[in-house]
Amino acid sequence: MMERFTLIISLLFLLTLGGLGASNNAWAEESDLQQQLNKIQQQEDKAQVLTDLTKLLQSNLFQGSDKAKILLQKSKVLFSNYQYMQSLDLAFQARDLAEKNNNTFLAAKCSHMIGVLFYYQGELKKSLKAYQTALAYYVTNQSKNINNFAVERANLLNNIALVYTSLGQSSLALVNYEQAEPLYAQYGSEIDQIDVRYNIAALHISLRRFDSAIDILKVVINKRQLNNNAHGVATARADLGIAYKHSGQFELAEENILAALAYFKEHGYKHDIASQLHNMSELSNDQFDVEQAALYGNQALIMSKEVGHQKAHAGSLQSLAKAAFYSGDLAQAEQYIQDSMAIGKKIDYQTLLTENLAISALISAGNHQFVRALTEQQQYEKHHLLTTNSTLNDKLAEFESEQLNQKIVDLEQRRELEKLQTVKVEQQRNVIILTLVLILGIVFYIYRRHLEKRLTQELELRVKQRTQELENLAKELEKADQVKNQFLANMSHEIRTPLTAIVGHAEALIHDDIDKNKVKEDVQVIHGNSLHLLELINDILDLSRIEANKFELEIQALDLGELIQDLSSTFKAQAQQKQLSFTVEHQLNLPFIIKMDFLRLKQILLNLCSNAIKFTEKGEVTLAIAWQNEQLIFTVTDTGIGLSQSQLAQVFEIFTQADNSISRRFGGSGLGLSLSKQLAKLMLGNIVVTSKLGEGSIFTLTLPCKRCITDQALAKAGPIKQLTNDKLFTGKVLLAEDHDDNRRLIARLLVNLGLEVIVAKNGKEAVQLCVEQQPNLVLLDIQMPEMDGVEAFKALRELGCDKPIYALTANAMSHEVSKYLDLGFTGHLKKPIERKKFIAAIAKCFSVNGNQEHKAEQSLASVDLSDLITEFKSNISHDKQQISRCSIEGDIKSLAHYAHQLAGAAQMFGFSELNQAAKELEQLIKKELSVTSPNYLLINELTHCLIDEISLVEQQ
């Protein structure tokens, strides 16, 4: 008995519990409690051990974690005595006490013990949960680069894999074995590695790969015999008997199972005795030896009840049911199978439940209960079908299991090779050391002799390389300086030319130096030169955004026919002024809808066509359009001055024209073709040119795109150009805008179009008014107090509002617009109001007769906004006070809010410098709010700049 008790405790601590003994420093210290526990544990009489542990608990000398340690120790002793329920109760008490005292390490050990107890009782899912709880602690508290819980984690992964194998989830079992294997390989002992191979053999048995299991188990038995692990040999022989039984080798199966049973009986391992008695009963049934099957089955039933081995209990009942059926006692067989089913359902033993359905169907058929038999047979087929459907996963698990097994074999071979290599290294060590000393002496002598020469050569080479680098850097700086000078010269000329006209005509207007009847002509000159200057600045900004990879394309559906019409009407007039012919040639079926960035395509074609007309003195300019292989090909042909080969090589370079005389004769900044080339590349296309000096040039733009041929695509091609109503618009519009000046301006535009306007100051008010007034169209500003535009939109849709809702915001970046559209907004209107798009959006939402778009534009153009502008100027004094207050108080969130409001209003009323200053402050604050320490100094500087801009507006 003493030998059996010692062996059980050893196996419990070393193998099953995976190091529950000494993983933490606190357990390693020989405290007073630990000394007492060690002394008690060394006693041979288990009853005395339990008595002493009970006295410790009743002494009240130990509380908290110390009491939990005593409870856990007593739980282990009860486990070794097969008192599973009492052991489990104490383990739960120990864990609760450890958790209450925040001793997570001890709680993890208790969870491990609970998992072992549940496993031995057949409560597999509860066992799995307890194991995973313990594993979570070791994973969480694993030190970086230090595997202080490596073996503990490996043991838990091994136990979890055993549970998954018993549950029939082979793939999950294999995953855990794969995680445990490298930990055992690096940190575990040889016994640990043998245990992994043993568990893999069990996995092979569950996958019905009995031949592979037999081969592995034979190796395991041999290894365990060498390590004098008698209990391990017995368990391996028991599994070997099971593998032989399933492969039909009954004699070998009986020999191994009986050998294992004899060992377990000799040493009193009741849990294992129950399992092997059940295996012998099954083996007897397979050989139709009913008497032996009943004998072993009854013995297994008694033993499993005694130790609480529920799997063996349910299995022995099944074996007895088979034996009773074979002997013709159907009533007894039915009772046995019902009892087995009850226990199987309790512990969720699916394999046994499926087998019991088949046996129950046979019993019902024998009792002439054919409907019941058929029902049970159908249930069996259903469960069997579920098992069959998982065959593919099992095959995959088999393949991976073979790989894992091969890894272990390779690891052992590698270790043997390492041993041989170590011996060889030891034998050669002295020779190597002597050789190394000799080599080092020779190398040192050669090194000293050639050191000076080598260093001199390296120094000369470095001086030469550095000199060359400095020369290259000087050339690059000189080239950069030339580019800078060229840029400044070109920009100075290009900017001063329109500015000269703007300043001159403006001064003439100021000093009344012109005829009042010609004021409109001078204003048109100022306007035209301003547009030219704006175009030049936009080109520079586009180039800078492209070079910084921040340029965004806005892809949308467009009708190529409209673009053709615009280009034709634009350039025919220019060509006629120079007595040239401009024609557009194509064979496209109009309307021809494509998806592309309409603005950038038009910008490229405007550059190409305007250049062609500019550099052509006589003859014609032709724009040919073709559709080939999912590509649009635009060919611009002229009969102008042409280009030489040297000029062709640099025609697409920035600020480049053929020569200075060309610039003087025809003007231009040299930005157009360079920008067009880069825009074409961004659109995944290209521009190529062929030319002959004095005869003309051909520029070919090729762009890949998708053609839309559906009615839906045609509808997305753009706003309707012609409306069919003689009247202006009629209906209600709800306008939600938090800034008073913006709200008054937009409301005036809407009223001027004939619409009834309902105004709201925030999203909450907008939702309430929309429900009350039922408008035909809703315009929502996105950023508003109390409830923003997005929240208001969602609220209106939830309330059943199906009217068009447009997002009204200054956030006009393509990804932001896409975000609003994805949320479900009908469309997007940008601030400041672009009148054509504004009217087109209104036209989509209201029914009119006749072509009123031009009339609507004229109506908006005639709106007097002078009083609103004056009111805006007077109101910004209040904004300046609020901004100053927020700056002084350091309230940067409110400061960003006021800056956002002011930026939108300034943009609406045409104060671009004020808009820019407010927008820069808002963007800076948003950026700084995302970091831990905002740059308040920079925020204050931009705030002062904004206040200065407000003061300038006030003085105007």
Side-chain angles (χ1 to χ4, degrees), residues 511-566:
H511 298 294
D512 293 330
D513 292 341
I514 60 172
D515 187 352
K516 292 185 178 180
N517 295 326
K518 296 182 178 181
V519 169
K520 185 175 181 180
E521 295 177 4
D522 284 82
V523 172
Q524 288 176 344
V525 171
I526 294 174
H527 181 258
N529 282 279
S530 299
L531 292 177
H532 174 69
L533 188 58
L534 178 61
E535 181 181 359
L536 179 64
I537 294 172
N538 285 337
D539 286 348
I540 295 173
L541 292 176
D542 285 345
L543 282 170
S544 65
R545 283 197 294 266
I546 292 173
E547 292 175 356
N549 291 325
K550 294 184 178 179
F551 193 89
E552 295 183 0
L553 295 174
E554 296 187 7
I555 306 301
Q556 57 184 351
L558 64 95
D559 184 0
L560 196 60
E562 294 183 7
L563 177 60
I564 293 172
Q565 183 178 358
D566 290 346

Side-chain angles (χ1 to χ4, degrees), residues 793-926:
F793 169 79
K794 293 179 179 178
L796 287 173
R797 289 305 190 215
E798 289 176 359
L799 291 171
C801 176
D802 58 355
K803 299 300 182 182
I805 303 177
Y806 276 74
L808 186 64
T809 176
N811 297 329
M813 298 299 289
S814 60
H815 67 277
E816 293 173 333
V817 175
S818 299
K819 174 185 175 182
Y820 302 142
L821 296 180
D822 291 340
L823 286 172
F825 278 93
T826 308
H828 169 268
L829 290 174
K830 182 176 67 174
K831 294 189 290 188
I833 297 299
E834 297 177 354
R835 299 190 179 187
K836 286 188 177 181
K837 293 184 179 180
F838 186 70
I839 294 171
I842 299 297
K844 289 181 179 180
C845 303
F846 295 94
S847 299
V848 295
N849 295 322
N851 183 1
Q852 296 292 338
E853 184 173 357
H854 180 67
K855 185 175 179 181
E857 290 181 17
Q858 289 180 336
S859 177
L860 291 188
S862 63
V863 176
D864 184 10
L865 303 177
S866 58
D867 60 323
L868 295 181
I869 295 174
T870 302
E871 190 172 356
F872 169 74
K873 290 180 181 180
S874 63
N875 288 340
I876 60 174
S877 298
H878 174 71
D879 293 335
K880 183 168 71 172
Q881 293 175 2
Q882 294 297 329
I883 290 171
S884 299
R885 179 187 60 79
C886 293
S887 177
I888 294 171
E889 295 176 356
D891 185 2
I892 59 175
K893 289 186 178 180
S894 298
L895 186 60
H897 171 71
Y898 285 115
H900 172 77
Q901 280 192 335
L902 187 57
Q907 194 175 26
M908 292 286 288
F909 287 100
F911 296 98
S912 57
E913 292 84 359
L914 181 59
N915 163 258
Q916 186 65 27
K919 187 182 296 183
E920 288 177 357
L921 177 59
E922 179 192 7
Q923 292 174 350
L924 174 64
I925 294 175
K926 287 182 178 179

Side-chain angles (χ1 to χ4, degrees), residues 345-363:
K345 290 178 181 178
K346 178 182 176 183
I347 63 175
D348 197 23
Y349 194 174
Q350 291 298 325
T351 303
L352 177 132
L353 291 174
T354 302
E355 294 174 355
N356 283 351
L357 286 172
I359 298 171
S360 182
L362 291 173
I363 295 171

Side-chain angles (χ1 to χ4, degrees), residues 93-310:
Q93 291 182 38
R95 187 173 70 175
D96 293 342
L97 198 55
E99 290 176 346
K100 183 178 180 181
N101 288 272
N102 296 322
N103 192 336
T104 54
F105 173 70
L106 183 58
K109 296 170 66 164
C110 295
S111 294
H112 195 161
M113 185 67 193
I114 291 169
V116 172
L117 289 165
F118 276 133
Y119 181 79
Y120 269 78
Q121 294 184 83
E123 300 280 355
L124 298 179
K125 291 187 176 179
K126 294 180 179 179
S127 174
L128 178 63
K129 183 178 179 181
Y131 283 148
Q132 290 173 338
T133 301
L135 180 62
Y137 167 81
Y138 293 121
V139 172
T140 303
N141 294 274
Q142 177 66 42
S143 300
K144 187 176 182 182
N145 299 325
I146 302 176
N147 280 286
N148 50 332
F149 295 130
V151 175
E152 288 83 352
R153 288 189 290 127
N155 289 334
L156 279 166
L157 289 168
N158 189 24
N159 290 353
I160 290 171
L162 284 174
V163 175
Y164 279 130
T165 301
S166 299
L167 288 171
Q169 300 181 26
S170 305
S171 58
L172 291 176
L174 185 59
V175 169
N176 285 273
Y177 282 138
E178 287 178 337
Q179 294 180 32
E181 187 272 333
L183 294 173
Y184 277 140
Q186 186 171 1
Y187 303 100
S189 64
E190 183 181 2
I191 293 176
D192 294 329
Q193 297 173 32
I194 294 172
D195 289 344
V196 171
R197 297 198 67 184
Y198 168 71
N199 292 335
I200 292 174
L203 179 61
H204 278 281
I205 292 174
S206 70
L207 294 173
R208 299 187 176 277
R209 292 182 52 84
F210 305 118
D211 293 339
S212 299
I214 291 170
D215 292 339
I216 296 173
L217 287 168
K218 287 180 178 179
V219 175
V220 170
I221 291 170
N222 183 49
K223 294 282 188 181
R224 287 179 171 176
Q225 286 174 342
L226 293 176
N227 290 320
N228 296 320
N229 184 357
H231 184 272
V233 171
T235 56
R237 291 199 68 177
D239 283 354
L240 182 60
I242 294 172
Y244 277 135
K245 177 178 79 72
H246 286 298
S247 62
Q249 303 179 63
F250 297 133
E251 292 183 0
L252 290 174
E254 184 175 359
E255 175 187 342
N256 283 277
I257 295 174
L258 287 176
L261 180 60
Y263 175 83
F264 295 141
K265 285 182 176 180
E266 180 182 354
H267 295 85
Y269 295 128
K270 295 181 180 180
H271 189 279
D272 296 313
I273 292 171
S275 297
Q276 301 317 312
L277 287 171
H278 167 240
N279 288 337
M280 282 303 302
S281 179
E282 281 293 289
L283 179 61
S284 299
N285 273 326
D286 287 350
Q287 299 179 81
F288 302 103
D289 189 347
V290 178
E291 292 183 2
Q292 287 295 319
L295 176 62
Y296 284 122
N298 282 311
Q299 293 177 6
L301 186 62
I302 294 170
M303 186 62 69
S304 61
K305 284 183 178 180
E306 180 181 345
V307 299
H309 191 346
Q310 297 188 77

Side-chain angles (χ1 to χ4, degrees), residues 736-773:
E737 166 64 59
D738 63 324
H739 197 278
D740 297 338
D741 295 322
N742 284 354
R743 189 169 60 253
R744 282 191 287 268
L745 187 148
I746 299 173
R748 180 168 296 184
L749 296 178
L750 291 169
V751 169
N752 201 67
L753 292 174
L755 296 168
E756 179 184 347
V757 182
I758 308 163
V759 296
K761 297 181 180 180
N762 53 62
K764 186 176 181 180
E765 186 177 335
V767 173
Q768 181 179 355
L769 289 173
C770 187
V771 173
E772 295 174 355
Q773 300 293 333

